[in-house]
Amino acid sequence: MAKKVGIVILGDEVLKAETRESNIAYMLPLLNEWGAEVALCAILPDDVPTVVRHLRSFLAEVDLLILTGGIGPTPDDITREAVATVARVPLVVHPEARACLEAYYGKRMNAERMVMAHVPEGAVLIPNPLSAAPGFFVARMAVFPGIPRLLHEMFEWMKPLVEGKRGSRVTLHSSAPESAYAAIMRETVAAFPTVRIGSYPLLEGEYRVRVVFRAEDFGHAAASADFFSERMKAAGMEISRRVEERRDG
């Protein structure tokens, strides 16, 4: 079971702005809802040494890596090779993957399509109900296609691998400039070390800001928000709205 998760998007087409990346925006809400702490997101090129170097580094920081893209049949699909290298195992033809692909393609099956049956030795397949070409899971790396529709159909497979629950949070809304309450925020951070506090300004017509207090225990999040609110009001700044989300039972 994984608590800390990283996301890696593979593809030159993303880095060169030939494809608009949308998979991160799809995965993040689900992973947070399932209780994962998403610690990093990265976009890497179609270069095996570069991908291998970064995957090894990322695996030292997280419990689980989720990769999307680069598992098709063409030469630029290098993800399976990179993952096998990191896992220190060879690529092998998975019999179940081969059977699924042969059933899907029938007489159209050929050597190029068989490439998609190659996975790192010992990998568990992630079923693909749409095109039969599976994803796979090995050595704390879960690998999915980069095509959003396929990812959406397959991603629920991840849920049992993620442990924990989404923490509680309190959100305060204000129109005060960040520079005016930065010192109050530092004071609050020091007073409540178990609470993660973030400030997020918006400029949509008129200036607004959200200050979010996150903690596993709702009481801690609420207490830190109270502390911050009191000092804001004492300094002549208003809190226009407060939203509480309790997730600790």
Side-chain angles (χ1 to χ4, degrees):
M1 297 285 285
K3 177 63 176 177
K4 188 175 288 189
V5 176
I7 295 174
V8 179
I9 308 298
L10 277 296
D12 287 346
E13 71 277 15
V14 178
L15 290 171
K16 297 182 185 302
E18 295 164 356
T19 297
R20 187 180 181 88
E21 207 298 304
S22 63
N23 287 333
I24 291 176
Y26 174 78
M27 291 185 282
L28 283 178
L30 289 173
L31 289 169
N32 278 278
E33 186 66 30
W34 297 341
E37 176 189 344
V38 181
L40 63 90
C41 294
I43 302 175
L44 300 180
D46 296 321
D47 178 73
V48 172
T50 300
V51 173
V52 167
R53 183 174 71 252
H54 282 89
L55 293 185
R56 286 174 173 162
S57 174
F58 295 158
L59 284 168
E61 301 180 28
V62 300
D63 305 316
L64 171 69
L65 278 178
I66 300 170
L67 293 80
T68 74
I71 57 172
T74 57
D76 60 330
D77 290 314
I78 55 87
T79 303
R80 57 173 51 84
E81 179 184 348
V83 169
T85 300
V86 173
R88 293 183 169 85
V89 295
L91 286 170
V92 297
V93 176
H94 195 293
E96 184 180 344
R98 178 175 61 192
C100 289
L101 288 164
E102 287 176 341
Y104 181 80
Y105 286 109
K107 293 181 179 180
R108 297 176 294 135
M109 189 65 184
N110 55 32
E112 285 71 29
R113 287 168 174 152
M114 184 60 72
V115 168
M116 294 184 288
H118 287 74
V119 299
E121 187 175 53
V124 175
L125 297 186
I126 301 175
N128 178 348
L130 293 183
S131 71
F136 55 88
F137 176 73
V138 66
R140 296 192 288 126
M141 293 174 281
V143 184
F144 291 87
I147 299 172
R149 186 183 173 201
L150 298 182
L151 176 69
H152 296 182
E153 289 291 331
M154 300 168 66
F155 196 67
E156 190 74 16
W157 188 91
M158 288 298 308
K159 188 174 182 179
L161 298 185
V162 177
E163 68 174 349
K165 61 182 180 181
R166 183 172 178 174
S168 297
R169 63 184 176 187
V170 176
T171 302
L172 301 179
H173 296 256
S174 179
S175 58
E178 286 188 302
S179 57
Y181 62 77
I184 295 173
M185 187 170 169
R186 279 194 291 270
E187 185 182 358
T188 309
V189 169
F192 296 88
T194 64
V195 180
R196 300 186 68 174
I197 307 173
S199 175
Y200 310 105
L202 299 170
L203 190 56
E204 297 174 354
E206 61 183 30
Y207 175 86
R208 292 175 293 135
V209 69
R210 292 181 301 126
V211 183
V212 183
F213 304 79
R214 306 179 184 92
E216 292 188 7
D217 180 86
F218 174 77
H220 292 169
S224 64
D226 291 343
F227 182 94
F228 181 88
S229 297
E230 290 168 4
R231 278 152 181 77
M232 286 280 283
K233 291 175 183 177
M237 291 176 279
E238 293 185 359
I239 302 297
S240 60
R241 184 182 174 208
R242 176 175 174 135
V243 178
E244 298 181 347
E245 297 175 66
R246 186 166 190 153
R247 299 296 185 108
D248 59 358

